[in-house]
Amino acid sequence: MTVILLRHGVSTSNTARTLAGRSAGVDLTERGADQAFGVADRLAGLPIEHIVHSPLLRCQRTVAPLAEKLGIEPEYDDRLIEVDYGQWTGRPIAELLNEPLWKVVQRHASGAVFPGGEGLAQVQTRAVAAVREIDRRLAEQHDGDVLWVACTHGDVIKSVVADALGIHLDGFQRIVVEPASLSVIRYTPTAPYVLRVNDTGGDLSGLAASKPQRADADSRARPSPAEADTSGPVPGGELGPAAGADNGNAERSESL
């Protein structure tokens, strides 16, 4: 069973450099919409059986072109929703950099609880439970291997990847997940295997195979310098270390 974890495309909150969280009505930018169509083109040739997404608008918009191409009716799962950032929701990233909790989020994520919101440990628990449960359900329904897509948010994906890698949640900020990127995990009866992380380009045909990928899958997943989008957004999740970086390039500030 293999899940493709898809982060939503660039959103209006990303470009505004604010922390969207669960704010209503946060849509994709024009660039984000283009990314959604690009993802659909990349994935349309794969034998995808199911699409699930966070209930938030930016994730719905991201999977819509793919669902239309494949003729699949996507479903949403509340457990894949964005982190409840509580009182941080909607605030400018530059302002949050001065909060004492910011350093906790970067260095001790497992102990970070947002005021009036949830803790990152809670996020990991619910997201991992959702992915594993959906994966088991699809295996039973299809009596074998299934390739499926889960579209959600940066910090949610990073927490699921951290679990699959067997690393502590405190290390999840070392994982990079850009808008419209793909991170792929194959779950087996004995252990999960991370096949790709933050994949934003390149051939995906190997994901159609029913057997686990070889150990060199990660090297194949990384785009070549020619494939890399050097004008793309700053790496990371919603609250990754790069979220507060100011490198003078407006386009590269879109992954917050």
Side-chain angles (χ1 to χ4, degrees), residues 105-191:
V105 172
Q106 305 306 318
R107 302 174 185 175
H108 183 42
S110 63
V113 179
F114 297 97
E118 65 183 333
L120 288 173
Q122 292 174 274
V123 174
Q124 185 180 51
T125 297
R126 65 168 165 82
V128 170
V131 170
R132 289 179 178 264
E133 180 182 310
I134 295 169
D135 201 71
R136 286 193 298 269
R137 170 164 57 89
L138 292 175
E140 293 172 358
Q141 290 177 352
H142 295 270
D143 193 27
D145 286 323
V146 172
L147 181 63
W148 62 287
V149 172
C151 181
T152 180
H153 308 270
D155 289 335
V156 177
I157 292 173
K158 286 160 62 177
S159 72
V160 175
V161 172
D163 171 78
L165 288 171
I167 67 174
H168 198 279
L169 183 60
D170 288 350
F172 97 134
Q173 295 290 25
R174 301 177 185 179
I175 300 169
V176 174
V177 176
E178 299 177 78
S181 67
L182 310 174
S183 298
V184 183
I185 302 172
R186 179 175 177 82
Y187 288 96
T188 76
T190 55

Side-chain angles (χ1 to χ4, degrees), residues 34-121:
D34 288 343
Q35 289 175 324
F37 282 101
V39 166
D41 289 340
R42 293 188 69 203
L43 296 180
L46 297 178
I48 293 169
E49 298 285 349
H50 190 66
I51 300 172
V52 63
H53 59 83
S54 156
L56 296 180
L57 180 62
R58 53 196 184 274
C59 289
Q60 296 178 42
R61 299 284 201 213
T62 299
V63 300
L66 176 64
E68 183 175 0
K69 272 183 175 286
L70 298 179
I72 294 175
E73 183 67 31
E75 68 170 328
Y76 72 87
D77 192 307
D78 287 331
R79 294 171 297 177
L80 296 180
I81 197 169
E82 175 64 288
V83 180
D84 182 356
Y85 294 114
Q87 296 171 17
W88 279 27
T89 302
R91 291 176 60 185
I93 295 293
E95 184 181 290
L96 294 174
L97 290 173
N98 298 317
E99 294 283 353
L101 182 60
W102 182 272
K103 291 184 178 179
V104 179
V105 172
Q106 305 306 318
R107 302 174 185 175
H108 183 42
S110 63
V113 179
F114 297 97
E118 65 183 333
L120 288 173

Side-chain angles (χ1 to χ4, degrees), residues 6-50:
L6 167 64
R7 185 182 175 188
H8 63 78
V10 173
S11 74
T12 53
S13 182
N14 292 152
T15 55
R17 297 185 67 81
T18 58
L19 188 62
R22 299 181 181 180
S23 301
V26 176
D27 206 342
L28 300 181
T29 63
E30 182 177 346
R31 183 182 177 196
D34 288 343
Q35 289 175 324
F37 282 101
V39 166
D41 289 340
R42 293 188 69 203
L43 296 180
L46 297 178
I48 293 169
E49 298 285 349
H50 190 66

